[in-house]
Amino acid sequence: MTRVAAIDCGTNSIRLLVTDLRDGAQHDLDRRLRIVRLGKDVDRTGVLAREALDRTFETLREYAAVIGELGAEHVRMVATSATRDAANRDEFVAGVADVLGVEPEVVSGAAEAGLSFDGAVRGLPGGDGAPYLVVDIGGGSTELALGSDGVTAARSVDIGCVRLTERRFQSDPPTSDQVAAARADIEAALSDAAAVVPLGDARTLVGLAGSVTTVAAIHLGLAEYDSAAIHHSRVPAAQVRAISDHLLTLTHDERLAIGPMHPGRADVIAAGALVLRCVVDRAGVDEVLVSEHDILDGIAWSVVSG
């Protein structure tokens, strides 16, 4: 048995998993999320803001305490879209090393997609669902990876929910012109991805991350967020479209009032749901299989698989 701590630092959230791994089995001891919005305004400024760095380091101090209490033997932290784009990422790396004792690995979009695929496909329900298209909708970027036992094609594109909201949604709720501009960005990015990843070849679309799981929670009619109910649930394509359309008509306060909505996601969920809708339409699938296991689990397994 190996006790591993995995940290995923994205544009919107930073998450921790401490888990015991042995012979292909996974037993989670702690899994938590904090929305720190590390990538706030990175699309516009090209740098990580001081306030965002401070929020991130504060959360990492909490995570370091948990890791110490649980006695993890190995720690791996991966940083993704916002950090890839930031001119001052060296400041981020140094700060993380000071708090956590290990340096974060700023991974490429392709590496991010591979970790997401591995984490999501492990433990999927039985059946002939391959090839899988794993779609990880983050704050700064969206990763698309196609494969069966492993990734055969992958692409990362800059259409995350935070980036699109900051770039295109100046009104609350967004105007029809703003939605059209965001959709044009998404469609252009998906056309770019489709040159590498044959999206239509997928038999199963596996959706990851907070935008997708929140759409699933809304579809399930949950009064509050319930990861056990959401994990491996299925959302029909028609419901993805309906929920996306509805979210785009709501104000921030109306989105916040939705029972399972995380307060830190209410301002960006409409853009995230729009990305999911466009992916579903482009792939031509009938439903989305939702997974709570994602890049975080892929990071953990990468420690023992080399």
Side-chain angles (χ1 to χ4, degrees):
M1 183 180 70
T2 304
R3 183 161 293 182
V4 174
I7 299 173
D8 166 39
C9 184
T11 298
N12 197 39
S13 66
I14 182 167
R15 300 180 302 140
L16 169 70
L17 169 65
V18 182
T19 186
D20 288 334
L21 306 177
R22 178 172 58 191
D23 299 330
Q26 177 175 334
H27 175 66
D28 294 350
L29 303 174
D30 198 296
R31 189 186 288 260
R32 61 183 67 191
L33 170 149
R34 300 287 181 266
I35 291 185
V36 297
R37 196 62 58 86
L38 176 63
K40 180 175 174 55
D41 291 331
V42 165
D43 186 62
R44 178 176 60 84
T45 66
V47 297
L48 301 169
R50 180 71 260 165
E51 297 82 0
L53 287 168
D54 289 343
R55 290 192 298 268
T56 302
F57 297 153
E58 180 181 359
T59 296
L60 282 174
R61 283 189 281 272
E62 172 196 338
Y63 288 2
V66 173
I67 292 167
E69 289 167 8
L70 294 177
E73 303 162 53
H74 304 278
V75 179
R76 186 183 183 196
M77 177 175 171
V78 165
T80 55
S81 177
T83 315
R84 283 197 297 267
D85 295 346
N88 62 336
R89 72 180 187 180
D90 288 349
E91 181 182 358
F92 167 77
V93 170
V96 170
D98 182 58
V99 172
L100 200 61
V102 298
E103 288 193 357
E105 300 172 48
V106 183
V107 297
S108 67
E112 183 179 358
L115 289 168
S116 294
F117 184 94
D118 185 52
V121 169
R122 285 179 183 271
L124 279 181
D128 187 19
Y132 305 103
L133 176 63
V134 174
V135 180
D136 186 345
I137 302 172
S141 64
T142 292
E143 281 65 50
L144 303 107
L146 182 72
S148 297
D149 296 327
V151 176
T152 56
R155 184 76 166 176
S156 177
V157 287
D158 286 341
I159 50 168
C161 60
V162 173
R163 191 187 300 270
L164 282 171
T165 300
E166 291 180 350
R167 182 183 291 177
R168 296 300 186 191
F169 290 175
Q170 289 81 37
S171 303
D172 182 36
T175 66
S176 58
D177 286 347
Q178 290 167 7
V179 173
R183 185 157 192 162
D185 287 350
I186 297 166
E187 294 295 350
L190 292 179
S191 293
D192 177 64
V196 178
V197 183
L199 305 178
D201 287 359
R203 293 191 62 187
T204 304
L205 193 157
V206 185
L208 316 181
S211 292
V212 178
T213 59
T214 301
V215 168
I218 294 170
H219 165 65
L220 294 170
L222 300 180
E224 59 185 21
Y225 196 91
D226 182 348
S227 60
I230 291 166
H231 187 47
H232 290 166
S233 63
R234 296 174 185 268
V235 184
Q239 276 295 295
V240 171
R241 297 184 189 103
I243 291 168
S244 172
D245 287 347
H246 182 58
L247 288 170
L248 287 164
T249 69
L250 302 180
T251 65
H252 176 273
D253 288 346
E254 289 169 338
R255 294 189 298 272
L256 188 60
I258 297 171
M261 186 71 63
H262 190 291
R265 202 171 302 286
D267 60 333
V268 297
I269 182 60
L274 182 60
V275 174
L276 179 61
R277 180 205 174 127
C278 291
V279 173
V280 166
D281 289 345
R282 185 67 71 101
V285 295
D286 294 330
E287 64 181 10
V288 179
L289 173 60
V290 180
S291 178
E292 287 274 11
H293 288 187
D294 50 31
I295 186 174
L296 198 56
D297 303 80
I299 294 166
W301 280 103
S302 72
V303 173
V304 296
S305 65

